[in-house]
Amino acid sequence: MPLAAAHIDTGDTAWLLAATALVLLMTPGLALFYGGMVRTKSVLNMLMMSFVSIALVTVVWLAGGYSLAFGDDAFAGLVGGLGHAGMAGLGPDSVHGTVPTVLFATFQLTFAIITAALISGAIADRAKFGAWLVFVPVWALLVYVPVTHWVWGPGGWIGADLGALDFAGGLPVEITSGASGLALCLVLGPRLGFRKDAMRPHNLPMVVTGAGLLWFGWFGFNAGSALGANGLAAAAFLNTLAAGCTGLLGWLFVEQKRDGHPTTLGAASGAVAGLVAITPSCGTVSLVGALVVGLAAGVLCSYAVSWKFKLNYDDSLDVVGVHLVGGIVGTLLIGLFAVKAMTGGAEGLLYGGGLAPLGKQLVAVVAVAVYAFALTYGLGKLLDRAMGFRASEDEEQTGLDLTVHAETAYDHGVLGHGAPVAASALVSAAQKVKTQP
């Protein structure tokens, strides 16, 4: 039964409106971050995979995703009901806590959007755009929505029954996207030239700009999850800043020690790793805990990104190394560093809470990672058989920008011996690739 409209707090509502806009900005920020990391021939395709996710996930979320995630539990803590399908019953007088329910639903929508977009980094340079258009809405319904209900929904088995803690999305966002990214890169296989050709980021200023926008938006992501303009939001805000900083420094320390050079890409990646790890724990740990969480993620993730070369899976833009590993680090460390002043009750092992909190976090991590991997792998295989998920060899070699979108990110003006590049010539080249057997 919704509370009366008189219980809407204007300060909380204003803050959540701003936080929602900040989180939505993270997806264009991610597009720039990913776009700068790929080669010039696929940068537009990378941008498009993020931008189209905004539209696809929004339609699915409004149609039934929100209701299934946050509706009253319909089956054993696994999924909500369809009472709010089509956003039914969420009028201006419906209240969630101290904010309008429709605003809470929109805030949660922005989480779903960026989670889907994150997966694209694992399969950069080689996925069919048409298959991605089918994958995103189906994945959102089958994977993201149930996990979100488990963690945050009324009666969800992880949040309500198990009692595991996740303040802003380590389980439904970071671990889910990382495990799903691993599944898809195994389905599609490695890029042409993986482990042989140099596949360096083509535009590091774009990468750093994207990372900056992500960091900026992350304050809405984490502090907004307090759902109010209050002390908890302020503490989550500071923890987010602190962990991003120690994540950056930890990554650079490893690079300097291992390679002899602290890199721009490393600084951007380290900041993101720290932000990933603090996402689940920003509202549960003290400032000291946040500093440790960020540092641990920066160090561990900087090593984890090299696993793909040892284990021979082509996670193009390190979704597994940063988001899966960082999400696991941040979620598990809640079991060590949670403090009563932040949680209102639960405490981690280092503060007298015993091993039980750590065990709960571990069960949640394993369950979500296995579920996301298995469902995504099955969905990816199904789509690959039905319509083909991987671009052809010719399309991949030419570049997805030209062959899929008939565009190029950079007009260099000349090719070969100085001949101008006509737009019609680019389109003809793209059509030629598409018609080749």
Side-chain angles (χ1 to χ4, degrees):
M1 179 69 67
L3 300 176
H7 288 83
I8 291 177
D9 185 283
T10 55
D12 292 347
T13 300
W15 163 234
L16 197 60
L17 283 167
T20 301
L22 285 170
V23 182
L24 183 60
L25 180 65
M26 292 177 71
T27 299
L30 179 71
L32 291 174
F33 183 69
Y34 278 173
M37 291 175 70
V38 297
R39 292 166 287 179
T40 55
K41 62 183 181 180
S42 294
V43 57
L44 296 180
N45 180 258
M46 199 72 257
L47 298 175
M48 280 287 286
M49 291 179 82
S50 286
F51 267 81
V52 77
S53 297
I54 299 175
L56 294 170
V57 176
T58 296
V59 172
V60 169
W61 190 255
L62 298 180
Y66 170 76
S67 186
L68 291 169
F70 288 98
D72 291 336
D73 187 65
F75 181 73
L78 298 176
V79 71
L82 287 171
H84 297 301
M87 308 304 281
L90 303 185
D93 292 337
S94 177
V95 179
H96 182 97
T98 59
V99 300
T101 305
V102 68
L103 174 57
F104 172 76
T106 307
F107 178 64
Q108 292 297 335
L109 163 61
T110 60
F111 282 54
I113 289 169
I114 195 168
T115 306
L118 283 169
I119 301 170
S120 66
I123 54 174
D125 291 332
R126 63 195 188 279
K128 282 186 177 180
F129 189 67
W132 179 251
L133 295 179
V134 177
F135 170 81
V136 168
V138 177
W139 178 89
L141 281 175
L142 294 182
V143 180
Y144 182 81
V145 163
V147 172
T148 299
H149 183 76
W150 299 355
V151 178
W152 293 324
W157 76 268
I158 287 180
D161 297 334
L162 179 63
L165 301 177
D166 186 344
F167 190 75
L171 293 164
V173 177
E174 308 299 352
I175 293 175
T176 299
S177 62
S180 297
L182 176 60
L184 276 196
C185 70
L186 293 177
V187 170
L188 269 65
R191 290 166 290 179
L192 298 175
F194 176 62
R195 302 184 67 177
K196 297 178 181 178
D197 300 339
M199 298 181 180
R200 300 184 183 92
H202 88 281
N203 191 326
L204 285 170
M206 183 185 291
V207 173
V208 175
T209 300
L213 289 173
L214 282 169
W215 200 337
F216 179 63
W218 229 298
F219 292 118
F221 202 94
N222 287 356
S225 293
L227 303 181
N230 51 39
L232 183 58
F237 193 108
L238 179 57
N239 283 348
T240 300
L241 176 60
C245 291
T246 52
L248 186 157
L249 294 173
W251 194 299
L252 291 185
F253 173 80
V254 171
E255 282 192 327
Q256 179 66 48
K257 187 174 183 294
R258 181 185 58 199
D259 309 321
H261 302 284
T263 67
T264 306
L265 179 61
S269 299
V272 171
L275 293 166
V276 165
I278 200 61
T279 293
S281 52
C282 62
T284 60
V285 303
S286 66
L287 179 58
V288 172
L291 292 168
V292 174
V293 167
L295 182 63
V299 171
L300 293 175
C301 292
S302 65
Y303 286 109
V305 296
S306 65
W307 293 349
K308 62 185 178 183
F309 300 110
K310 298 176 181 178
L311 301 177
N312 201 36
Y313 63 89
D314 186 10
D315 172 21
S316 305
L317 306 183
D318 300 320
V319 178
V320 177
V322 174
H323 293 277
L324 178 57
V325 173
I328 290 173
V329 168
T331 304
L332 290 181
L333 287 183
I334 293 173
L336 297 180
F337 292 100
V339 294
K340 185 176 181 179
M342 295 289 285
T343 65
E347 293 181 306
L349 176 63
L350 298 181
Y351 292 86
L355 287 172
L358 183 60
K360 293 176 181 180
Q361 298 302 118
L362 180 60
V363 169
V365 164
V366 172
V368 169
V370 170
Y371 177 82
F373 179 88
L375 265 289
T376 304
Y377 189 85
L379 176 59
K381 280 290 190 182
L382 181 63
L383 289 176
D384 194 40
R385 289 187 178 184
M387 60 188 301
F389 210 141
R390 174 145 188 176
S392 70
E393 184 173 330
D394 288 331
E395 289 174 329
E396 188 176 340
Q397 288 180 334
T398 302
L400 300 178
D401 289 359
L402 186 58
T403 58
V404 175
H405 308 292
E407 299 173 302
T408 56
Y410 305 99
D411 183 4
H412 298 293
V414 294
L415 284 176
H417 298 289
V421 183
S424 58
L426 294 176
V427 175
S428 297
Q431 293 174 340
K432 181 179 179 181
V433 171
K434 289 182 178 180
T435 56
Q436 287 178 347

